[in-house]
Amino acid sequence: YEWFFGSGEYFTAGLFYKMIDKPIEANVNNNGSNDFQSFINAPEATVYGAELEFNKYFDPGFPADWWSGNRLYLATNYTWTQSEVNADEGDTVQPYGFAAPVAARLFVQDGSDLQGQSEHIANLQFGVENEDKGLQATLIANYVSERISARGRPGQPAYMEDPGLSLDFVLRKTMRFGDTPVTLGLSARNILDTEYHEYQERAGQKIHLNRYDPGVSWSASISV
């Protein structure tokens, strides 16, 4: 469904259903004393869900002497997804380092989520732009719910990650020096200082595998 109610303004909604043959999934395995990550082809997966998208411009009615040509905009997107990996009795996979195929259920839990697929993904952009002055400033919020980062070793639970909420700011301004356009850029990433967190969990017990604070990053650029 698509509704275009103004220039550059719209609301869209969609449903999707996919059957995936032999999806590629990351898995963790062991070779002697070394743990390593590789990839396998799970037997089959199904993915279905819904997606909503909205884009709207606003005129706040500020005084024209300093707001002339500027406009506020709001853009948002939300995707809800359900996924399921199917591993029947008799299905096999070929992990890295194995001389022959092995039972798929050693590495893939039947009915579990597809590796790397979050149930909820959302983003929100709010900003100001002026096409005549070459100005665009945007605050960007992203949310990604918990997901499987890799299949665990045989008999172990999956490696999970929780990306959570992140906030970025991006500013672009284009100026002209004679016939040459020069674009100045400034960005701030991970303003909320969201940490990275990967873990395994079973029966209410959680083991933290990989936790670190990526920090807030700033960058500036000049493009000619």
Short mmCIF file of all heavy atoms in Angstrom, two decimals, residues 138-161:
data_model
loop_
_atom_site.label_atom_id
_atom_site.label_comp_id
_atom_site.label_asym_id
_atom_site.label_seq_id
_atom_site.Cartn_x
_atom_site.Cartn_y
_atom_site.Cartn_z
N THR A 138 20.54 16.43 10.31
CA THR A 138 19.65 15.32 10.64
C THR A 138 20.08 14.62 11.92
O THR A 138 21.26 14.32 12.10
CB THR A 138 19.61 14.28 9.50
OG1 THR A 138 19.37 14.93 8.26
CG2 THR A 138 18.51 13.26 9.75
N LEU A 139 19.11 14.38 12.78
CA LEU A 139 19.30 13.54 13.96
C LEU A 139 18.69 12.18 13.65
O LEU A 139 17.53 12.10 13.24
CB LEU A 139 18.62 14.18 15.17
CG LEU A 139 19.00 13.68 16.56
CD1 LEU A 139 20.48 13.94 16.84
CD2 LEU A 139 18.13 14.34 17.61
N ILE A 140 19.47 11.11 13.83
CA ILE A 140 19.05 9.78 13.39
C ILE A 140 19.08 8.82 14.57
O ILE A 140 20.12 8.62 15.19
CB ILE A 140 19.98 9.24 12.29
CG1 ILE A 140 20.09 10.25 11.14
CG2 ILE A 140 19.49 7.90 11.77
CD1 ILE A 140 21.24 9.97 10.19
N ALA A 141 17.92 8.24 14.88
CA ALA A 141 17.83 7.24 15.95
C ALA A 141 17.55 5.88 15.32
O ALA A 141 16.68 5.76 14.45
CB ALA A 141 16.72 7.60 16.94
N ASN A 142 18.29 4.86 15.74
CA ASN A 142 18.10 3.50 15.24
C ASN A 142 17.92 2.54 16.40
O ASN A 142 18.63 2.63 17.41
CB ASN A 142 19.32 3.06 14.42
CG ASN A 142 19.44 3.80 13.12
OD1 ASN A 142 18.71 3.53 12.17
ND2 ASN A 142 20.36 4.74 13.06
N TYR A 143 16.98 1.62 16.24
CA TYR A 143 16.76 0.58 17.25
C TYR A 143 16.74 -0.78 16.57
O TYR A 143 16.03 -0.98 15.58
CB TYR A 143 15.45 0.77 18.01
CG TYR A 143 15.16 -0.38 18.93
CD1 TYR A 143 15.85 -0.52 20.14
CD2 TYR A 143 14.23 -1.35 18.59
CE1 TYR A 143 15.61 -1.59 20.99
CE2 TYR A 143 13.98 -2.43 19.43
CZ TYR A 143 14.68 -2.54 20.63
OH TYR A 143 14.44 -3.62 21.46
N VAL A 144 17.54 -1.71 17.10
CA VAL A 144 17.58 -3.09 16.61
C VAL A 144 17.46 -4.00 17.81
O VAL A 144 18.24 -3.90 18.77
CB VAL A 144 18.90 -3.37 15.86
CG1 VAL A 144 18.93 -4.81 15.36
CG2 VAL A 144 19.07 -2.40 14.69
N SER A 145 16.47 -4.91 17.79
CA SER A 145 16.26 -5.79 18.93
C SER A 145 17.24 -6.97 18.90
O SER A 145 17.99 -7.17 17.94
CB SER A 145 14.82 -6.29 18.95
OG SER A 145 14.56 -7.13 17.83
N GLU A 146 17.20 -7.73 19.96
CA GLU A 146 18.10 -8.87 20.14
C GLU A 146 18.07 -9.82 18.94
O GLU A 146 17.03 -10.03 18.33
CB GLU A 146 17.67 -9.62 21.40
CG GLU A 146 18.51 -10.81 21.78
CD GLU A 146 17.95 -11.52 22.99
OE1 GLU A 146 16.87 -12.14 22.88
OE2 GLU A 146 18.59 -11.45 24.06
N ARG A 147 19.23 -10.42 18.63
CA ARG A 147 19.31 -11.35 17.51
C ARG A 147 20.47 -12.32 17.73
O ARG A 147 21.35 -12.09 18.55
CB ARG A 147 19.52 -10.60 16.19
CG ARG A 147 20.82 -9.79 16.13
CD ARG A 147 20.83 -8.88 14.93
NE ARG A 147 22.04 -8.06 14.89
CZ ARG A 147 22.18 -6.99 14.10
NH1 ARG A 147 21.19 -6.62 13.31
NH2 ARG A 147 23.30 -6.29 14.12
N ILE A 148 20.45 -13.41 16.98
CA ILE A 148 21.52 -14.40 17.04
C ILE A 148 22.70 -13.88 16.23
O ILE A 148 22.56 -13.60 15.04
CB ILE A 148 21.05 -15.76 16.50
CG1 ILE A 148 19.91 -16.30 17.35
CG2 ILE A 148 22.21 -16.76 16.46
CD1 ILE A 148 19.28 -17.58 16.78
N SER A 149 23.85 -13.75 16.85
CA SER A 149 25.04 -13.31 16.13
C SER A 149 25.79 -14.49 15.50
O SER A 149 26.45 -14.34 14.48
CB SER A 149 25.98 -12.52 17.04
OG SER A 149 26.38 -13.30 18.16
N ALA A 150 25.70 -15.68 16.11
CA ALA A 150 26.33 -16.89 15.56
C ALA A 150 25.74 -18.11 16.26
O ALA A 150 25.34 -18.04 17.43
CB ALA A 150 27.84 -16.86 15.72
N ARG A 151 25.69 -19.22 15.55
CA ARG A 151 25.30 -20.48 16.17
C ARG A 151 26.42 -20.97 17.08
O ARG A 151 27.60 -20.88 16.73
CB ARG A 151 25.03 -21.54 15.09
CG ARG A 151 23.90 -21.20 14.14
CD ARG A 151 22.56 -21.29 14.81
NE ARG A 151 21.48 -20.89 13.91
CZ ARG A 151 20.21 -20.79 14.26
NH1 ARG A 151 19.86 -21.06 15.51
NH2 ARG A 151 19.29 -20.42 13.40
N GLY A 152 26.03 -21.47 18.27
CA GLY A 152 27.03 -21.97 19.20
C GLY A 152 27.58 -23.33 18.79
O GLY A 152 27.09 -23.97 17.85
N ARG A 153 28.61 -23.74 19.47
CA ARG A 153 29.17 -25.07 19.23
C ARG A 153 28.12 -26.13 19.52
O ARG A 153 27.15 -25.88 20.25
CB ARG A 153 30.40 -25.27 20.11
CG ARG A 153 31.58 -24.39 19.75
CD ARG A 153 32.62 -24.37 20.85
NE ARG A 153 33.05 -25.71 21.22
CZ ARG A 153 33.83 -25.97 22.27
NH1 ARG A 153 34.24 -24.97 23.04
NH2 ARG A 153 34.19 -27.21 22.54
N PRO A 154 28.26 -27.35 18.98
CA PRO A 154 27.27 -28.41 19.22
C PRO A 154 26.99 -28.58 20.72
O PRO A 154 27.92 -28.70 21.52
CB PRO A 154 27.93 -29.65 18.63
CG PRO A 154 28.79 -29.12 17.53
CD PRO A 154 29.30 -27.81 18.03
N GLY A 155 25.71 -28.54 21.09
CA GLY A 155 25.33 -28.69 22.47
C GLY A 155 25.30 -27.40 23.26
O GLY A 155 24.89 -27.40 24.42
N GLN A 156 25.74 -26.28 22.65
CA GLN A 156 25.76 -25.00 23.34
C GLN A 156 24.71 -24.06 22.76
O GLN A 156 24.35 -24.16 21.58
CB GLN A 156 27.14 -24.35 23.24
CG GLN A 156 28.23 -25.04 24.02
CD GLN A 156 29.50 -24.20 24.07
OE1 GLN A 156 29.55 -23.09 23.55
NE2 GLN A 156 30.53 -24.74 24.72
N PRO A 157 24.20 -23.12 23.58
CA PRO A 157 23.23 -22.14 23.06
C PRO A 157 23.89 -21.19 22.07
O PRO A 157 25.12 -21.07 22.01
CB PRO A 157 22.76 -21.41 24.32
CG PRO A 157 23.85 -21.61 25.31
CD PRO A 157 24.45 -22.95 25.02
N ALA A 158 23.05 -20.50 21.32
CA ALA A 158 23.54 -19.56 20.31
C ALA A 158 24.20 -18.35 20.97
O ALA A 158 23.94 -18.01 22.12
CB ALA A 158 22.39 -19.11 19.43
N TYR A 159 25.10 -17.73 20.23
CA TYR A 159 25.67 -16.45 20.62
C TYR A 159 24.64 -15.38 20.28
O TYR A 159 24.16 -15.29 19.16
CB TYR A 159 26.96 -16.16 19.86
CG TYR A 159 28.16 -16.96 20.29
CD1 TYR A 159 28.05 -18.31 20.64
CD2 TYR A 159 29.42 -16.39 20.35
CE1 TYR A 159 29.16 -19.05 21.03
CE2 TYR A 159 30.53 -17.11 20.74
CZ TYR A 159 30.40 -18.44 21.08
OH TYR A 159 31.49 -19.15 21.46
N MET A 160 24.31 -14.54 21.26
CA MET A 160 23.30 -13.50 21.08
C MET A 160 23.95 -12.12 21.17
O MET A 160 24.93 -11.93 21.90
CB MET A 160 22.21 -13.62 22.15
CG MET A 160 21.55 -14.98 22.24
SD MET A 160 20.62 -15.42 20.75
CE MET A 160 19.37 -14.14 20.74
N GLU A 161 23.37 -11.17 20.46
CA GLU A 161 23.78 -9.77 20.59
C GLU A 161 22.54 -8.89 20.71
O GLU A 161 21.48 -9.23 20.19
CB GLU A 161 24.66 -9.33 19.42
CG GLU A 161 23.98 -9.32 18.08
CD GLU A 161 24.90 -8.82 16.97
OE1 GLU A 161 26.03 -8.41 17.28
OE2 GLU A 161 24.47 -8.85 15.81
#
